[in-house]
Every structure is written in C-alpha cells, then in structure tokens.
C-alpha cells in the first residue's frame, strides 16, 4: 500500500475541494496517484466543490448558539437565498454554531478543523460535502465568541427562519451574580437594541483609532478657518455627539429613549439584586461587506433558452 502523506491529502483537497477523508480514501484507492485520485473523486461526484469555489457567496444564514455562560455567532454564506431555506443547509449552520460554542472557538481556520459531529471529518469537510450535495458554493465566513465567569449571554436573531438562525444575529455578555432570569431578559433586550442600532463598539475606548481620526478630520474640514482653540472645542464636542451615535453604552436605549444603554444596565442592578457589567457584544448581519454580483436574470433565461448557457 502506498504511503499516503498529509501533504498529498492537502494537495488533492486543494485541487478538488473534496473533503479530507474523501481525499485520503481516493489516494488509497489509486495507490497515491494524484491525477488518478482526481478522476476517482470526479466519478464519485465528490469534486464538485472545486468548480464552485470562485462563485460569490453573499447569501446564507447567521447562526447563534448559547451554552451556559458562553455564546457564539457565526456566518455561513451561500450563493442564493433559496439555500437558506434548505433544511440540510440550516442543519449545517446550526451544527457549526454548536461546535463553536462547545469549543469556545472564535477563529475561522481553527473552527474549520474541529470535528463535525455525526460525520466523518472536520467542519471543513462537512461544508465541502454540502457544496457537492446542494450544488452551491458555501463559505464559513466568520465567528465570534463571548463568555463571562458569572452571568448570562443574551441573544437575539432578526428575521429568524428557525431557532437560532436568521439574517442578523447578536450576542451580548452580561456579568453579574444576580437573578439569571432577570438578566436573561435584559440581555435579550440589549441584543435587540444592538440589532437595531448597530453600534461600532462597546464604548469610546473600543473604537478603531483610524475611525476616530477620520471623524476628527471631517469635523476639522467642516469648520476650517476657525481659530485653533475654537476648533479644538468643536472637535471635542463633535466627538461626544459621535460617541452617542456609535458606542453601545452611550446610545439612547431603544426600549426607553429617556436613558442610555449604560444607564439601563446600571439601573438593572436593583432588579437583579447585584451589580451588572456589560462586557461585550457581537453583531453579524448577513452579507455585510461582501461585494455582490448583480445578475441579469432575464438575460440568463434568454441565454438558457437559446442554448448558450
């Protein structure tokens, strides 16, 4: 029997997009001959994924999973919205989220290498198998994890099509020794706020320095010509207004516009029976930041009808 190395398996996987275990089997079946292994996979219908890997995947689902004091949000993309309604795809996203929360995983590459329950191989293999079965390109785009030593992870999914699956997913970390039922209610409300208000950071210290500098430059240019000491005060005042717009703790709370989110959290201490600290949040909106290709559906149908597609 040929000596099948990890490098050979990796090479075949990159060439075909097939799952790791399928690649290993193909190499064993063909005595380590890469080209023969490619043909073996093609005959088995397992190399379809490679043909679809260059297609833009901007649809799909965001999945949220919470276990105890840990929570994750993941985004798995597909090419079309139709796939989001596919039960197999939904099960894939939900299982990936469960694997991520079980392992506390917040790195995409590491998550892809985690064992996929109920199947032979890793999460990456499960995705490749789904591509081959469903017939669309799919990608595990990102994952975020939050945890607290004591407290709750609030969660909310907007436009949910199933439990924990939808178009926008949010998790919020609240640390407190207080009543967990009250905390969970607060966590869900804040998660709903995050989904609606889309803050950039928890507080001013969490904002990207480049973003802050850009905002300062805008304020300076808008007020060019004013004396330096006046301009400094304008920039300082403008930044305070900006923080109220983009930082979670300073945003007006959507459930009570008379207070900020930070004030609502502080006031919750009385209801839960202990101080409450808002430690962080993660918000994923499906496809944000992905450049989508505009398709001319009518032209595609016409081309297909004339035998050109």
């Amino acid at each position: 029997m040929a000596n099948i190395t990890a490098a050979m398996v990796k090479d075949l996987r990159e060439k075909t997009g097939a799952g790791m275990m399928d690649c290993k089997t193909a190499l064993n079946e063909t005595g380590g001959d890469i080209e023969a292994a490619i043909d073996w996979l093609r005959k088995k219908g397992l190399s379809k994924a490679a043909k679809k890997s260059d297609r833009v995947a901007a649809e799909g689902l965001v999945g949220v999973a919470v276990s105890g004091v840990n929570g994750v949000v993941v985004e798995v993309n597909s090419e079309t919205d139709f796939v989001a309604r596919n039960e197999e795809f939904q099960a894939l996203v939900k299982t990936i989220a469960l694997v991520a929360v079980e392992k506390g995983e917040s790195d995409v590459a590491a998550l892809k290498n985690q064992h996929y329950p109920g199947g032979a191989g890793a999460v990456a293999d499960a995705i490749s198998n789904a591509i081959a079965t469903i017939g669309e390109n799919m990608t595990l785009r990102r994952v975020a994890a939050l945890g607290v030593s004591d407290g709750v992870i609030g969660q909310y999914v907007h436009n949910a099509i199933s439990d924990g699956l939808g178009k926008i997913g949010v998790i919020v970390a609240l640390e407190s020794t207080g009543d967990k039922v009250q905390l969970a209610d607060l966590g869900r409300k804040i998660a709903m706020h995050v989904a609606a208000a889309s803050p950039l950071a928890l507080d001013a210290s969490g904002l990207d320095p480049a973003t802050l500098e850009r905002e300062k430059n805008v304020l300076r240019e808008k007020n060019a010509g004013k004396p330096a000491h006046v301009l400094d005060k304008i920039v300082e005042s403008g930044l305070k207004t900006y923080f109220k717009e983009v930082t979670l703790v300073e945003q007006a709370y959507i459930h009570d516009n008379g207070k900020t989110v930070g004030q609502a959290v502080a006031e919750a201490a009385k209801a839960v029976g202990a101080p409450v600290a808002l430690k962080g949040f993660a918000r994923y909106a499906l496809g944000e930041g992905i450049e989508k290709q505009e398709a001319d559906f009518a032209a595609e149908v016409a081309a297909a009808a004339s035998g050109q597609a």
Side-chain angles (χ1 to χ4, degrees), residues 126-144:
I127 294 172
S128 290
N129 291 337
I131 293 171
T133 302
I134 297 175
E136 281 196 11
N137 186 28
M138 299 173 198
T139 57
L140 170 56
R141 185 185 179 203
R142 50 184 175 165
V143 55

Side-chain angles (χ1 to χ4, degrees), residues 57-303:
E59 298 294 341
L61 288 169
V62 172
V64 170
V66 173
S67 178
V69 292
N70 297 295
V72 300
V73 56
V74 303
E75 180 180 356
V76 182
N77 298 123
S78 60
E79 293 178 54
T80 67
D81 183 52
F82 295 109
V83 170
R85 303 170 211 164
N86 181 294
E87 290 184 1
E88 183 178 341
F89 180 73
Q90 291 177 16
L92 174 72
V93 179
K94 189 170 291 189
T95 303
I96 290 173
L98 290 173
V99 171
V101 76
E102 179 187 342
K103 302 297 182 181
E105 195 60 76
S106 59
D107 178 79
V108 169
L111 179 55
K112 285 181 178 180
N113 288 324
Q114 293 288 351
H115 174 71
Y116 188 82
V123 167
D125 298 309
I127 294 172
S128 290
N129 291 337
I131 293 171
T133 302
I134 297 175
E136 281 196 11
N137 186 28
M138 299 173 198
T139 57
L140 170 56
R141 185 185 179 203
R142 50 184 175 165
V143 55
L146 293 175
V148 291
S149 57
D150 193 0
V152 302
I153 302 296
Q155 60 177 308
Y156 174 69
V157 175
H158 189 62
N159 285 340
I161 63 169
S162 180
D163 185 35
L165 300 175
K167 300 296 186 182
I168 299 176
V170 179
I171 52 175
V172 172
L174 292 174
E175 196 162 74
S176 177
T177 58
D179 181 79
K180 299 302 185 285
V181 174
Q182 294 277 0
L183 277 174
D185 181 60
L186 176 65
R188 176 172 172 77
K189 286 180 178 177
I190 294 176
M192 291 174 71
H193 171 98
V194 172
S198 190
L200 298 181
L202 183 65
D203 54 33
S205 67
L207 287 168
D208 183 347
T211 299
L212 280 179
E213 193 57 38
R214 186 164 61 248
E215 188 65 22
K216 288 178 183 178
N217 288 336
V218 169
L219 290 167
R220 291 190 187 105
E221 289 177 14
K222 285 174 65 176
N223 297 278
K226 290 184 170 60
H229 70 283
V230 174
L231 188 58
D232 287 342
K233 289 182 178 179
I234 290 174
V235 170
E236 182 181 355
S237 176
L239 284 179
K240 287 180 180 178
T241 301
Y242 179 67
F243 294 154
K244 291 177 182 178
E245 295 172 352
V246 302
T247 64
L248 178 56
V249 295
E250 294 196 39
Q251 285 180 331
Y253 192 34
I254 64 168
H255 300 286
D256 184 350
N257 287 327
K259 64 185 69 170
T260 65
V261 173
Q263 289 170 335
V265 172
E267 291 176 9
K270 185 176 180 180
V272 305
V276 182
L278 179 53
K279 305 299 288 185
F281 73 91
R283 177 190 187 274
Y284 283 173
L286 181 66
E288 59 187 352
I290 299 177
E291 186 175 345
K292 300 183 181 182
Q293 293 178 337
E294 297 296 329
D296 186 340
F297 184 66
E300 288 182 7
V301 173

Side-chain angles (χ1 to χ4, degrees), residues 21-67:
M21 296 305 295
D22 291 323
C23 288
K24 188 174 181 180
T25 300
L27 288 165
N28 281 325
E29 290 290 329
T30 58
D33 186 320
I34 292 288
E35 294 303 318
I38 291 173
D39 290 341
W40 187 93
L41 287 167
R42 289 179 63 194
K43 291 173 184 176
K44 296 290 184 180
L46 296 173
S47 63
K48 296 179 183 178
K51 299 177 183 178
K52 299 172 173 59
S53 62
D54 59 346
R55 298 182 187 172
V56 174
E59 298 294 341
L61 288 169
V62 172
V64 170
V66 173
S67 178

